[in-house]
Amino acid sequence: MKAILTRLFNHEELTSEETKQILLNITKEMYPEAQIAALLTAFQMRSITVDELIGFREALMETRLPIDFAPYRPIDIVGTGGDGKNTFNISTCACFVVAGAGYKVAKHGNYGATSVSGASNVIEQHGVRFTNNPDTLKRSMEECNIAYLHAQLFNPAMKFVGPVRKTLGVRTLFNLLGPLVNPCCPAYQLLGVADLSQMRLYTNVFYKLGIDFAVVNSLDCYDEISLTDEFKVMTRDYERIYRPQALGFKDARPEELFGGACKEDAARIFDNILTGHATPAQTQCVIVNAAFAIQVMEPQKEIEECIAIARESLDSGRALATLKKFIEINKEIELQKQTVSLEQLREQAEIIIRENAAHRRSMKQALAASSTGIISEFKRRSPSKGWINEAARAEEIPASYEAAGAAALSILTDEKFFGGTLRDIRTVRPLVHIPILRKDFIIDEYQLLQACIVGADAVLLIAACLSPEQCSTLTTQAHELGLEVLLEIHSPSELSYINKEADMVGVNNRNLGSFVTDVENSFRIARQLREATHGAVSPLLVSESGISDPETICRLRAAGFRGFLIGETFMKTGHPGETLKEFIRDSLSIDN
């Protein structure tokens, strides 16, 4: 190492073979940390060459744990880091927008080295457990279009320089290497760099590696498109400088992109963007980065069209649905399977089905026969409103709903976004006789088995979270367990999900992106369903969200709806059961 350092101090260049061997030696712990720090500092004193960088990369790729995503041809969106701006997790958020738009994303990331929150920090804040299990990662890619590759699980060589990088606290050549060592070797890449010299460097590297790419740089030294200044984009096809206004965006101020003082702040900003509660500057910054990523994969599209695609992913709620599904796959379900296997759960469900065969409750029949059709919802919070009734007790409120005249119950079991658990259904089941709907982001047979075991009678399947094939498979599996299915759709584009297998179809009046409710959505969807199927498919219709007065129920019933899911209207009051009783009394008086 001394000889290498001497050459570097004399401004000599190294070959790719030499830099490859240096890094391999570092992984064998042949050099003390002081010499590694000197090496990194030396490369900060002059620009690294293309061959030197490729040599370091070859060493990391040689020692990596590979993952084969070749059939998916994914993109990675990443910045070099180290720009000192402490922005929120722009590229990570853009990944979910791109995945929500239907493109495959293989996000490679790590903990923040020179900022409050790196990609791994913000993902971990959502309770995700990092894995290098190929089956889990491929399932994540197939079912929600995105897989997260935590660098430390795939690039063991990185751990040998981690302490030195943290101590130095400045950008090093490993900031340059990070974007080049995605273990799946993605087909496409959007890379943000902090200055124009890096832009030239990476462009030449990508040409040699044969990757389709876009390298972006904000001219005020952000390693992403910040919209705080003009920005430059280089691809295989063009090199261009853009002004934010030319693309329909307003200039952003640096403080508007601040990532917060702690990891929790960063995660909050991340969630705000996907739930429609971010500032315009934060939102448009994510959209523009996602748009240029889309254009890398579809270079025939004009950037304006790519912006529209990215914006629709965010505004429609597809990006948020992708995040929720990603969390389910990579957090709760996989962890639960390690405690109780799928086979064990199947055995428990078989026992429950045998014991309760004579006591099944049909939610569809209950709604059809009810004079009110009201599905009263038990939930403590929502993504749009936060805590609605944090102290709500499952031992009290659902039973008061039944006593007041509810036809069925909806119980939220998602903890992060709605403050519920499966224990709530288990608690309520012996206290009521009306059907219970398990409302959650259901994507796996495992969750259906759980619903069966705790005593649910029906489950919610959300079209926005599933493909038509997945929806059909889960419906069949639910029926085999004696569970009915409420298929939830949000827009006309999801009408194709509806078939004779669904017991009930719910129209959610809440926009998943903006969280604005519009009951007229139920009327539009019902009309379009009749026109699309010519009456051949006539499931029991349920209107969900935004129903706050009896007059609306009367209108919906006249339009063909027989179920009316209402939650916040009741839960936000001090006595939800009494509020429901008054609501039903007013509804019946209007009918009469």
Side-chain angles (χ1 to χ4, degrees):
M1 176 61 86
K2 289 182 181 179
I4 292 293
L5 289 174
T6 299
R7 290 175 58 192
L8 290 174
F9 294 154
N10 289 329
H11 306 288
E12 295 182 32
E13 295 180 359
L14 305 180
T15 66
S16 59
E17 292 77 12
E18 287 174 321
T19 54
K20 176 180 178 180
Q21 192 58 52
I22 288 170
L23 190 45
L24 290 174
N25 289 345
I26 289 176
T27 66
K28 299 172 184 176
E29 300 183 273
M30 293 174 59
Y31 309 130
E33 285 192 0
Q35 289 186 337
I36 297 174
L39 176 77
L40 299 181
T41 303
F43 274 109
Q44 283 302 100
M45 303 302 291
R46 71 159 173 84
S47 298
I48 192 170
T49 68
V50 171
D51 286 342
E52 288 169 338
L53 190 59
I54 287 177
F56 282 123
R57 176 186 181 273
E58 287 177 353
L60 288 177
M61 297 303 281
E62 185 174 301
T63 58
R64 85 191 192 282
L65 178 67
I67 181 78
D68 182 15
F69 282 161
Y72 307 112
R73 293 186 58 77
I75 189 170
D76 190 6
I77 307 172
V78 65
T80 57
D83 62 7
K85 305 294 189 180
N86 194 32
T87 55
F88 68 92
N89 301 90
I90 295 170
S91 62
T92 308
C93 200
C95 284
F96 284 92
V97 173
V98 172
Y103 301 94
K104 301 296 185 182
V105 180
K107 174 61 177 171
H108 182 231
N110 209 336
Y111 295 120
T114 58
S115 63
V116 166
S117 177
S120 290
N121 296 114
V122 76
I123 294 296
E124 196 171 59
Q125 282 292 310
H126 289 81
V128 168
R129 180 170 178 170
F130 301 131
T131 182
N132 54 19
N133 181 292
D135 292 335
T136 301
L137 292 169
K138 288 181 179 178
R139 181 186 174 195
S140 185
M141 182 68 78
E142 289 174 357
E143 296 190 13
C144 56
N145 294 330
I146 184 170
Y148 187 76
L149 310 177
H150 179 53
Q152 295 179 13
L153 296 180
F154 295 89
N155 302 111
M158 286 290 201
K159 70 180 180 181
F160 296 101
V161 296
V164 176
R165 293 179 68 199
K166 195 71 175 178
T167 300
L168 289 174
V170 296
R171 196 176 357 173
T172 72
L173 66 89
F174 282 93
N175 288 100
L176 301 177
L177 274 172
L180 298 175
V181 293
N182 187 316
C184 78
C185 299
Y188 308 99
Q189 190 148 359
L190 177 76
L191 173 61
V193 299
D195 57 57
L196 296 179
S197 63
Q198 287 183 9
M199 177 171 273
R200 292 293 177 188
L201 172 68
Y202 279 112
T203 299
N204 290 326
V205 168
F206 284 135
Y207 274 123
K208 284 198 171 186
L209 297 178
I211 297 173
D212 288 324
F213 67 91
V215 183
V216 302
N217 163 252
S218 289
L219 299 185
D220 52 350
C221 300
Y222 282 85
D223 67 339
E224 52 228 339
I225 303 173
S226 65
L227 300 179
T228 53
D229 198 350
E230 294 180 341
F231 60 93
K232 187 171 184 178
V233 180
M234 291 183 67
T235 72
R236 287 185 177 276
D237 302 315
Y238 68 83
E239 177 177 342
R240 190 174 305 156
I241 292 178
Y242 291 91
R243 293 174 55 251
Q245 299 91 331
L247 296 177
F249 298 109
K250 294 181 179 179
D251 287 345
R253 301 189 307 274
E255 60 269 22
E256 293 179 299
L257 307 182
F258 180 60
C262 60
K263 298 176 182 65
E264 292 76 13
D265 288 346
R268 194 176 304 112
I269 294 170
F270 184 92
D271 288 346
N272 283 346
I273 293 166
L274 295 181
T275 59
H277 292 84
T279 66
Q282 293 168 337
T283 300
Q284 67 180 11
C285 185
V286 169
I287 288 174
V288 71
N289 281 272
F292 276 94
I294 292 169
Q295 193 184 51
V296 174
M297 295 178 283
E298 300 212 60
Q300 76 280 4
K301 293 186 183 299
E302 295 294 333
I303 190 59
E304 290 78 8
E305 182 179 358
C306 297
I307 290 171
I309 293 171
R311 192 184 303 279
E312 195 278 336
S313 174
L314 198 57
D315 290 348
S316 68
R318 295 277 180 182
L320 177 61
T322 297
L323 172 66
K324 291 175 178 177
K325 192 171 183 181
F326 172 81
I327 293 171
E328 290 286 349
I329 292 173
N330 292 278
K331 173 192 171 185
E332 298 174 10
I333 297 175
E334 295 307 318
L335 286 177
Q336 291 166 358
K337 285 180 180 178
Q338 294 176 20
T339 304
V340 181
S341 70
L342 185 64
E343 290 70 25
Q344 290 173 312
L345 218 57
R346 284 172 177 161
E347 292 174 1
Q348 292 180 38
E350 287 176 5
I351 296 172
I352 296 293
I353 292 170
R354 286 198 301 269
E355 292 179 348
N356 299 328
H359 304 287
R360 291 178 180 171
R361 305 162 187 82
S362 170
M363 182 172 167
K364 180 178 181 179
Q365 292 177 10
L367 294 176
S370 172
S371 61
T372 67
I374 293 178
I375 308 166
S376 296
E377 189 159 84
F378 178 77
K379 65 177 178 181
R380 297 180 179 90
R381 64 171 295 155
S382 74
S384 59
K385 298 294 179 63
W387 288 108
I388 299 169
N389 192 335
E390 187 173 1
R393 290 170 54 83
E395 297 90 339
E396 299 172 358
I397 293 175
S400 73
Y401 279 153
E402 181 181 33
L409 298 172
S410 169
I411 298 181
L412 275 297
T413 59
D414 173 80
E415 185 170 3
K416 175 174 175 57
F417 292 100
F418 293 95
T421 71
L422 280 167
R423 290 190 301 275
D424 291 332
I425 296 182
R426 193 184 292 275
T427 298
V428 173
R429 180 69 284 168
L431 303 178
V432 301
H433 299 90
I434 56 178
I436 296 176
L437 169 74
R438 180 188 181 184
K439 192 173 180 183
D440 207 326
F441 305 102
I442 292 179
I443 59 172
D444 193 281
E445 178 192 1
Y446 196 90
Q447 295 165 290
L448 299 177
L449 292 165
Q450 290 174 324
C452 174
I453 291 168
V454 299
D457 304 292
V459 293
L460 181 77
L461 296 183
I462 304 173
C465 293
L466 301 165
S467 69
E469 295 74 23
Q470 291 169 331
C471 192
S472 178
T473 297
L474 288 170
T475 299
T476 300
Q477 291 171 338
H479 288 165
E480 290 172 352
L481 295 171
L483 297 169
E484 291 182 328
V485 169
L486 173 60
L487 172 63
E488 178 180 286
I489 63 175
H490 297 78
S491 67
S493 64
E494 294 168 343
L495 287 171
S496 59
Y497 281 76
I498 300 174
N499 54 45
K500 294 181 180 180
E501 296 174 342
D503 303 287
M504 300 160 282
V505 171
V507 180
N508 196 328
N509 301 313
R510 189 181 303 278
N511 182 293
L512 289 180
S514 66
F515 288 96
V516 173
T517 56
D518 178 13
V519 177
E520 295 303 314
N521 190 48
S522 283
F523 296 101
R524 288 192 294 269
I525 296 293
R527 183 173 59 254
Q528 291 166 333
L529 174 61
R530 289 192 295 269
E531 293 172 354
T533 63
H534 303 291
V537 178
S538 55
L540 187 142
L541 294 179
V542 177
S543 181
E544 309 171 24
S545 300
I547 303 172
S548 58
D549 59 80
E551 289 80 5
T552 299
I553 287 185
C554 292
R555 291 177 57 220
L556 287 166
R557 188 178 292 280
F561 286 85
R562 292 296 176 265
F564 315 95
L565 196 152
I566 307 173
E568 185 181 330
T569 297
F570 304 143
M571 289 298 297
K572 68 184 180 182
T573 67
H575 301 282
E578 288 298 317
T579 305
L580 169 61
K581 184 183 294 186
E582 294 174 8
F583 192 96
I584 290 176
R585 185 176 61 246
D586 293 343
S587 296
L588 295 178
S589 66
I590 293 175
D591 288 339
N592 294 330

